[in-house]
Amino acid sequence: MSESSPITPNSNSAEAIESVNTTEDITAVSDRSSKTRQLLGMKGAAPGETSIWKIRLQLMKPITWIPLIWGVVCGAASSGNYSWTLENVLKAAACMLLSGPLLTGYTQTINDFYDREIDAINEPYRPIPSGAISVPQVITQIVVLLLAGIGLAFVLDLWAGHDFPNITVLAVFGTFIAYIYSAPPLKLKQNGWLGNYALGASYIALPWWAGHALFGELNWKIIVLTLVYSLAGLGIAIVNDFKSVEGDRQLGLQSLPVMFGVTTAAWICVVMIDVFQGFIAAYLVSIHENLYAAILVLLILPQITFQDMYFLRDPLKNDVKYQASAQPFLVLGMLVAGLALGHAGI
């Protein structure tokens, strides 16, 4: 008998198997990422969701609730009257529910309803253009969120003992702005300046006013200062326009990237964000809140860094990356400003 040859593994086969496993792992991670982005209502999602409740949540874009919820915290801080009691925590939580899931959810749903033709071009995976949810179901969701939001606002007014229903009025005003922002004939978002300022004010001023009114007395100084701060929010709103440039151009919507071009709009965006935060810092110095002003300036610096690293170099590609990197510093700056105003008794 001849001596048999030893059996050795085929290195090429092993590498092929490892390559297949790696590819499968990457695909699985990518699928999970797409589903998460889809659920949160983020750019870069994928169609295919069948659960009606997940589809409804996707329409409400939970990722957009965070600034509104944070705005309530800033308003509570600027009131100077917030204390850590169970009742106050519950009040604040209810106000966050009002500003975030209910009224922001209403705003995002009605915006998707009126933007379904644009989304069919820019984001065809969204629930309405993809056919995942019917138009009557969307209208029902809009009505339920609207009524629930106004109802909760009225409850908060009763809970706070308001003689005048401040929070209810703010809720009605906010929902009106949301409607004319998205719906014809006004459709404010057709105008880059008006639309983005309406959006910026809705994200900064409105929830701030609600939080302040819940725990204190809303006054003209807070209203003016937060409207100025909302000009920085206008810059943030412009960032959202870069993902829709092609669809906006085709449908004649005058977003700033369409009006001025991508590069110029990117510069307008970052200047608005930085200058008006700087204005608030200067105001804090003027009322002798120097420490808070210094902290706010330190929080502006990393935003400028990320603007240079990501956004200005390629706003179409890096808009989401820039927002994820820079916006935490902007919202922390809002809280610093709120604490300063509360400390100063403005």
Side-chain angles (χ1 to χ4, degrees), residues 4-67:
S4 60
S5 301
I7 299 175
T8 57
N10 186 323
S11 59
N12 290 336
S13 299
E15 289 175 2
I17 292 170
E18 183 178 350
S19 176
V20 169
N21 290 338
T22 302
T23 302
E24 290 176 349
D25 290 342
I26 293 172
T27 302
V29 170
S30 177
D31 288 344
R32 286 196 297 271
S33 176
S34 293
K35 286 185 178 297
T36 300
R37 297 173 74 85
Q38 180 185 29
L39 193 62
L40 294 176
M42 296 172 66
K43 180 182 176 182
E49 183 58 64
T50 57
S51 168
I52 187 60
W53 296 110
K54 289 184 179 180
I55 292 167
R56 289 189 181 282
L57 187 63
Q58 184 188 355
L59 268 178
M60 294 162 66
K61 293 185 181 178
I63 194 70
T64 64
W65 302 347
I66 298 171

Side-chain angles (χ1 to χ4, degrees), residues 284-307:
L284 296 184
V285 171
S286 74
I287 59 173
H288 310 295
E289 296 293 337
N290 298 330
L291 177 59
Y292 290 105
I295 295 171
L296 180 54
V297 170
L298 290 175
L299 289 169
I300 297 172
L301 295 179
Q303 295 176 60
I304 296 173
T305 301
F306 289 123
Q307 287 161 2

